[in-house]
Amino acid sequence: MSPDKTAIRIKPRQYKSDIKPVWCPGCGHFAVLNAITKALAHLALANKDVALLSGIGCSSRVPAYTSVYGFHGIHGRALALASGLKAARPELTVLVAGGDGDGLSIGGNHFIHACRRNMDMTYIIMDNEVYGMTKGQASPTTAPDWTMSKLTPHGTGQRPFQPAALALAAGASFIARGFSGDPNGLAQMLVKAIQHRGFSVIQALSPCPTYRPEHMDWKHQIREFTEPCTDDPITAAQRIQADDGQSTGIVFQRELPVWQPYHQKSPLRAPTAVLKSFEQEFAL
Amino acid sequence: MNPATNTNKQDISVALVGSGGAGVVAAGELLLTLAFESGYYGLMRKAYGPQIRGGESAALLRLGSYPIYCMDDNFDLLLALDWQNTERFAAEIPLADTSLIIADPAAGAIPPVIAASGAAVESAELAAMAGETPGGRGNMVALGLLSGWLGLDATKARRCISAAFSDKGSEVAASSIACFERGFVTGIKGLAAANITPTSSPEPRWHLSGNEACGLGVLRGGVRFAAAYPITPASDMLEWLAPRLEQLGGSLLQAEDELASINMIIGASFGGVPAMTATSGPGLALMLEGFGLAIASETPVVIINVMRGGPSTGIPTKSEQTDLNIALYGMHGDAPHLVLAALDTSDCIFTSQWAVRLAEALQASAIVLSDQGLAQSRALIPAPASPELALAVRKKPEITDAPYQRYAITEDGVSPMAVPGDAQTMYTADGLEHSPSGKPSSAFADHSAQLDKRQGKLQQFDYGEHWAETGGDGDTAIICWGSSTGAAREARQRLQQAGIPVRLIAMRLLLPARSAQMDEALRGVKRVLVVEQSHSRQFLHYLRAHFDIDAPMACLAKPGPLSISPGEIVERISNWRQDP
């Protein structure tokens, strides 16, 4: 998976489609899309061997804006879709992208199980702390006192999920937080996540200018973790818990057993001696 | 002659009952294996109480000289190891005054609901006979009694018992054989020798369950990936598939829930690997949003839904044909898909294989309906002919200078489908409505063109004669579907013998509805009896919605867990009456 130095340098735009994103001007997701294409170009992966899968939401529109194989599925189920693909086609590079609502609310069960299963794929949670596609409702990462949604006029009154803590507790083997305001840093992080063998999670803070305009200030608040990445889950847990959710960097990376069923590249399709042997069992 | 009676029969029906742990199911399975070895055909259903494991149970067997497709109207023999809670499923073990009950006096009085049948009673001191051997068990004495009565080969029996208990040590096998022999020589008083003979020149036969048959069918069809969540009564199909998929270079993934399993198989199929899942009603309900994605994105998948009593948790261990409505109409939006039903154990193989082939060839989504009765029964069947169905093949794109259009409008409605790894055909599959290129679109023209395409590819396809099993003549027709077919076949046969010709239309392909073939099959018919195991007459409503049937229709419908007997069908036709 390392880039071929002798090859002609591949441009990020070779991974973009000609479909114009539906996103609002100033949306952080543009930068996340750029980071994805930059990372793919850096790794010089063949478009045909990469699949980007998603669920539903503003961020989940991303597959159509790339020129790799894509699947824009249903709300919350992107990780399940991707797990099936990876199980059956282990040689593909599998990326999954989606929002905080898609991944942590309706898709929460798939998220924790994907962490635990630790299949070799990369999951980018484009976190803007709001449901943008449905016009501004609170998500599982929204602060409890955010009262701007008509659906929760008193705020949710519920403490938000901390995605990195959730991922760590559920068994993910690579956990990072990036920021759309630093697309190069995010791209480098993605390169490492794709290279990591196992389930890599990147929470990409990506502000919504339309429904959370106050988050456009994030660029003044976000800074890097002061300490380097650890492979010790206890240290990582302490760091994540002590943080206000606005430090970026790879916080945890460790080699853990990867779940991948053996799948022949060309599974036996024709009725063969194997099928006959099953039939023999019935004849006793 | 009363045509309702099963006359000149060369088959016998035996029920073995006992509390959980008494080993009646193990004894029943051994009896079925012995019958297989001795050249018989047969069918064995397992009946449990409301709980999925533990508790009272029964092994219900019908053995004969010819293939058996359903249970008889009554049992000839009820052999009870004990009577603990047997009354809970007494209704599933109908007895006549010609039946015989064999009971151990040590087990106490026969429950009134069973004694009320008027059946004769004989005693057999099963527990005492078992007690003569250290570690001896009553179920093996019962097996011996039945084997002696049926004239089964004792040498073969010893071998089967040894093999069955090989993992429990030689002492267990030895005591089991001793108990078997004690029963074998004792025999059964008060009952004539069973009027069955083994097939004189036994043709090759298979011994399998409906769930195993469905598993074999999907493998024959080319499935190499499965994802599923455990659910009664589908789990044993998945357990059968798991190691065998691996042997074929594929795999099975146990998912976190059914929402995941359906999406996982869509992902694998998107990757070019034919994929399936198996579930039951509650799981099917969870899968249907994902099934809509498979339909919209034209990613072929197959769901095998093993029906059980519903709604909600319902009666998980008992059979019913009541997921028909959800399979037909459970989708959001206009969502053309395939619905198929297996007609018997052997047909579980054919229908599952056909479903995979259709799904792959048409890039369609298929639901195959089986049910607990079919799935968890074990049957001794004529070995099915080798499949004539070609292996499933997807239409592949040709590389040209023109940009690849995943959802191109074509004459047959099927668009060439690329898979990841194919060069120059990258595309994004989408559950959003799309243009032929796959670009999201909310335009009327795109929506209507894609709807036409997705419906047209299913409507135009030539399904041949497989849409139904049809046979017989006369101006009365029975229309049934799925597992009711066994009883309907036997009813038709009995009526035929009584000089009443009847046509049978047993439907295998429910969607898309083949109305021209139905018209042809019903030409000249003056009355129709619809047979289904449902309280709300789901199948009758389906027939009325999808076909123009002019003849008056009556409906024999009842909910599970009581299966429909051939005698009931014969009675409804002999004493024809319109539904009120």
Side-chain angles (χ1 to χ4, degrees):
Chain A
M1 210 179 277
S2 62
D4 183 351
K5 303 279 193 232
T6 61
I8 301 163
R9 210 174 118 76
I10 296 171
K11 302 267 189 335
R13 66 178 145 77
Q14 285 174 243
Y15 295 92
K16 282 198 180 162
S17 77
D18 54 8
I19 298 178
K20 192 173 163 289
V22 293
W23 301 322
C24 306
C27 177
H29 299 347
F30 287 102
V32 181
L33 169 61
N34 286 338
I36 292 170
T37 58
K38 270 183 196 162
L40 294 175
H42 180 84
L43 291 165
L45 294 169
N47 298 51
K48 71 180 179 64
D49 296 327
V50 179
L52 173 55
L53 303 98
S54 69
I56 292 295
C58 293
S59 53
S60 290
R61 289 294 193 113
V62 74
Y65 308 146
T66 71
S67 60
V68 298
Y69 279 94
F71 207 133
H72 182 211
I74 51 173
H75 201 24
R77 316 290 167 226
L79 284 170
L81 203 58
S83 301
L85 176 62
K86 185 70 184 179
R89 296 287 308 277
E91 75 282 12
L92 297 173
T93 298
V94 175
L95 311 178
V96 188
D100 36 298
D102 186 72
L104 301 173
S105 190
I106 189 167
N109 195 33
H110 310 307
F111 177 59
I112 56 175
H113 284 274
C115 292
R116 159 182 172 255
R117 204 171 275 128
N118 199 34
M119 297 182 81
D120 186 10
M121 59 173 82
T122 297
Y123 182 35
I124 308 151
I125 305 175
M126 294 151 78
D127 186 359
N128 55 15
E129 300 184 8
V130 77
Y131 286 89
M133 187 70 88
T134 49
K135 300 193 174 181
Q137 294 82 23
S139 87
T141 56
T142 303
D145 57 355
W146 183 69
T147 56
M148 296 304 287
S149 167
K150 290 177 194 164
L151 197 60
T152 51
H154 313 296
T156 65
Q158 296 161 34
R159 287 167 297 137
F161 272 142
Q162 176 49 263
L166 201 56
L168 184 70
S173 54
F174 179 109
I175 302 165
R177 188 184 294 128
F179 176 41
S180 62
D182 175 20
N184 287 328
L186 189 57
Q188 286 167 18
M189 202 176 266
L190 263 164
V191 167
K192 287 180 183 155
I194 294 168
Q195 286 172 332
H196 172 75
R197 198 172 172 282
F199 188 68
S200 46
V201 183
I202 295 180
Q203 176 196 9
L205 297 169
S206 176
C208 171
T210 303
Y211 297 105
R212 302 301 305 264
E214 69 278 19
H215 286 166
M216 300 314 278
D217 262 6
W218 275 353
K219 59 178 176 283
H220 303 303
Q221 296 152 15
I222 287 172
R223 75 324 260 185
E224 288 182 20
F225 275 111
T226 52
E227 285 145 315
C229 172
T230 176
D231 66 355
D232 173 29
I234 298 167
T235 309
Q238 285 168 339
R239 246 174 238 171
I240 292 165
Q241 296 292 354
D243 186 61
D244 62 356
Q246 301 220 302
S247 298
T248 60
I250 302 168
V251 66
F252 177 75
Q253 183 174 11
R254 184 173 181 139
E255 289 294 320
L256 291 169
V258 170
W259 189 84
Q260 173 64 55
Y262 169 72
H263 231 282
Q264 280 181 14
K265 200 162 179 188
S266 308
L268 302 170
R269 294 284 308 279
T272 58
V274 183
L275 274 176
K276 285 281 163 221
S277 73
F278 301 158
E279 295 174 5
Q280 276 307 308
E281 293 171 32
F282 299 132
L284 294 187
Chain B
M1 182 174 71
N2 176 5
T5 326
N6 178 6
T7 48
N8 301 322
K9 66 172 194 163
Q10 287 189 39
D11 62 80
I12 58 111
S13 296
V14 177
L16 261 166
V17 304
S19 54
V24 293
V25 171
E29 282 176 346
L30 269 168
L31 186 61
L32 193 70
T33 304
L34 285 177
F36 181 83
E37 295 259 330
S38 305
Y40 292 104
Y41 294 96
L43 185 66
M44 173 179 148
R45 288 186 81 148
K46 299 168 201 173
Y48 298 98
Q51 65 281 55
I52 290 168
R53 59 178 307 283
E56 64 284 358
S57 53
L60 311 176
L61 293 101
R62 188 177 179 197
L63 305 172
S65 315
Y66 33 70
I68 305 281
Y69 296 108
C70 65
M71 286 295 154
D72 204 349
D73 306 336
N74 296 302
F75 283 85
D76 301 303
L77 180 64
L78 167 63
L79 200 161
L81 272 73
D82 61 67
W83 295 111
Q84 198 181 327
N85 297 327
T86 306
E87 66 278 7
R88 287 190 188 161
F89 49 71
E92 292 168 63
I93 309 171
L95 299 170
D97 54 8
T98 51
S99 308
L100 180 69
I101 297 169
I102 300 177
D104 190 337
I110 297 173
V113 65
I114 290 170
S117 62
V121 179
E122 288 288 338
S123 61
E125 296 182 342
L126 299 164
M129 285 190 266
E132 295 165 14
T133 306
R137 286 165 55 89
N139 65 336
M140 290 297 112
V141 177
L143 178 66
L145 286 174
L146 292 168
S147 302
W149 175 56
L150 289 166
L152 301 178
D153 185 327
T155 313
K156 282 179 181 164
R158 283 185 208 100
R159 206 178 57 228
C160 287
I161 295 167
S162 291
F165 294 106
S166 60
D167 58 342
K168 296 197 171 162
S170 55
E171 283 177 27
V172 174
S175 70
S176 296
I177 289 171
C179 289
F180 167 85
E181 284 171 345
R182 183 69 175 86
F184 194 83
V185 298
T186 304
I188 295 175
K189 291 172 290 180
L191 193 61
N195 178 29
I196 61 171
T197 47
T199 46
S200 47
S201 54
E203 58 180 334
R205 285 158 306 129
W206 282 12
H207 175 181
L208 78 174
S209 73
N211 268 341
E212 291 169 345
C214 282
L216 178 64
V218 295
L219 294 183
R220 275 183 172 183
V223 162
R224 295 297 176 264
F225 181 77
Y229 189 72
I231 188 168
T232 300
S235 302
D236 33 5
M237 186 195 312
L238 302 164
E239 289 166 355
W240 187 87
L241 277 169
R244 289 167 182 85
L245 274 164
E246 284 179 24
Q247 281 177 262
L248 287 162
S251 65
L252 182 143
L253 201 172
Q254 182 178 331
E256 54 269 29
D257 55 33
E258 286 91 347
L259 305 168
S261 31
I262 182 74
N263 283 280
M264 285 168 170
I265 66 169
I266 295 169
S269 178
F270 169 70
V273 177
M276 65 81 70
T277 186
T279 189
S280 186
L284 180 63
L286 288 177
M287 287 180 183
L288 286 186
E289 188 198 13
F291 198 66
L293 173 64
I295 294 168
S297 66
E298 301 194 62
T299 314
V301 293
V302 173
I303 300 174
I304 299 189
N305 182 65
V306 186
M307 296 180 286
R308 64 191 214 185
S312 189
T313 315
I315 317 179
T317 55
K318 308 277 186 183
S319 203
E320 207 168 61
Q321 292 185 297
T322 44
D323 291 344
L324 179 61
N325 279 349
I326 187 179
L328 295 169
Y329 310 121
M331 302 307 304
H332 53 289
D334 286 324
H337 62 286
L338 299 159
V339 178
L340 301 95
L343 308 180
D344 59 38
T345 312
S346 183
D347 196 56
C348 284
I349 305 173
F350 174 82
T351 297
S352 303
Q353 183 179 359
W354 192 38
V356 178
R357 180 174 182 268
L358 292 175
E360 291 287 318
L362 298 171
Q363 294 170 31
S365 304
I367 299 173
V368 176
L369 294 169
S370 171
D371 57 44
Q372 186 276 336
L374 204 49
Q376 296 193 315
S377 291
R378 299 200 67 83
L380 312 180
I381 59 170
S386 285
E388 288 167 22
L389 296 174
L391 197 69
V393 180
R394 288 187 197 172
K395 197 194 270 188
K396 298 280 286 178
E398 288 170 23
I399 303 300
T400 63
D401 291 338
Y404 170 59
Q405 296 208 314
R406 166 65 186 100
Y407 301 109
I409 306 297
T410 59
E411 203 159 311
D412 64 1
V414 181
S415 316
M417 183 176 184
V419 295
D422 292 351
Q424 299 171 54
T425 48
M426 282 72 73
Y427 76 99
T428 292
D430 210 324
L432 275 175
E433 190 56 281
H434 38 256
S435 69
S437 72
K439 185 179 174 183
S441 169
S442 56
F444 170 80
D446 283 327
H447 187 41
S448 92
Q450 293 294 321
L451 286 171
D452 282 347
K453 169 177 138 56
R454 293 193 290 259
Q455 180 177 282
K457 67 181 181 180
L458 299 189
Q459 288 294 350
Q460 289 171 44
F461 187 78
D462 180 7
Y463 299 89
E465 298 306 305
H466 300 311
W467 72 282
E469 175 187 297
T470 57
D473 43 29
D475 60 8
T476 300
I478 301 169
I479 309 182
C480 64
W481 73 284
S483 69
S484 299
T485 302
R489 279 181 191 147
E490 187 164 329
R492 191 183 81 77
Q493 209 171 9
R494 290 189 203 171
L495 287 159
Q496 192 87 22
Q497 282 165 5
I500 306 168
V502 171
R503 296 186 207 188
L504 174 63
I505 300 165
M507 292 187 69
R508 184 185 287 117
L509 180 67
L510 296 155
L511 282 183
R514 301 286 82 195
S515 50
Q517 279 100 325
M518 180 66 94
D519 290 347
E520 181 60 33
L522 286 177
R523 183 168 300 165
V525 160
K526 301 249 169 20
R527 53 187 191 175
V528 171
L529 181 68
V530 176
V531 177
E532 60 177 308
Q533 194 174 22
S534 123
H535 183 263
S536 62
R537 305 181 171 208
Q538 297 184 11
F539 184 53
L540 176 69
H541 297 306
Y542 157 81
L543 291 172
R544 287 202 167 126
H546 292 265
F547 303 94
D548 291 320
I549 300 177
D550 297 330
M553 287 199 277
C555 186
L556 171 56
K558 68 176 181 185
L562 299 185
S563 54
I564 291 164
S565 70
E568 285 173 282
I569 301 172
V570 168
E571 193 279 331
R572 276 302 295 265
I573 287 177
S574 315
N575 305 305
W576 181 265
R577 59 191 181 277
Q578 207 70 26
D579 280 337

